Amino acid sequence: MKYLVMVQGSQADYEAMAGRGSAGGPAWDRAGMQAMFDHMNAINEELTASGEMLDAQGLAAPSTTRFVTVDDTGNTVVTDDPYAAAEGVVAGYWLLECASLERVTEIAARVARCPAPEGSPAYPVVVRPVDEVGPSLD
């Protein structure tokens, strides 16, 4: 079964990782960033070695997001930085192929243990099965 495992963050978290702390979270230092990268790289290496890793990416800061919709008259509507006030959005993901929900939950628990500066916000790691057959009309 394929699963999408997502980590969350906010614009304030991206700022904090760039060394600019705020009320939303303390500034990260170089050692903290290295500990986070080491933790995530170890997980990525294990998942690659086990054959469970299909893809993994970190996403750019929420401030770079663009929503594109169409209004009632058919005109394109573009909204830049739609997450300005959002507390948590998808910050990165893994697309995994795991034997069971229990296995992917074990992986998510390891991701959730990622080191972060004391006082940083805690977000859940989201696990969603990939629907490879689509909805049924039955």
Side-chain angles (χ1 to χ4, degrees):
M1 180 93 187
K2 291 180 184 165
Y3 297 91
L4 189 63
V5 177
M6 296 167 279
V7 292
Q8 299 177 331
S10 69
Q11 184 63 39
D13 297 316
Y14 282 79
E15 296 292 328
M17 287 190 284
R20 296 182 295 273
S22 68
W28 288 61
D29 61 17
R30 192 171 303 276
M33 289 294 292
Q34 189 62 54
M36 184 265 296
F37 285 130
D38 290 347
H39 179 85
M40 294 301 190
N41 286 334
I43 292 171
N44 291 343
E45 289 170 8
E46 175 193 313
L47 295 172
T48 299
S50 70
E52 295 168 302
M53 172 85 78
L54 300 176
D55 189 26
Q57 300 292 327
L59 300 178
S63 62
T64 65
T65 302
R66 174 175 277 185
F67 281 179
V68 180
T69 58
V70 177
D71 67 17
D72 293 341
T73 62
N75 293 313
T76 302
V77 178
V78 178
T79 306
D80 290 323
D81 195 10
Y83 293 125
E87 295 205 11
V89 298
V90 177
Y93 69 89
W94 289 262
L95 180 60
L96 305 176
E97 188 156 15
C98 297
S100 66
L101 180 59
E102 291 74 22
R103 171 63 181 144
V104 75
T105 300
E106 291 170 8
I107 295 165
R110 284 189 59 204
V111 170
R113 290 185 180 91
C114 184
E118 188 171 328
S120 294
Y123 301 98
V125 176
V126 180
V127 175
R128 293 195 57 190
V130 173
D131 183 357
E132 296 187 83
V133 289
S136 173
L137 296 176
D138 295 335

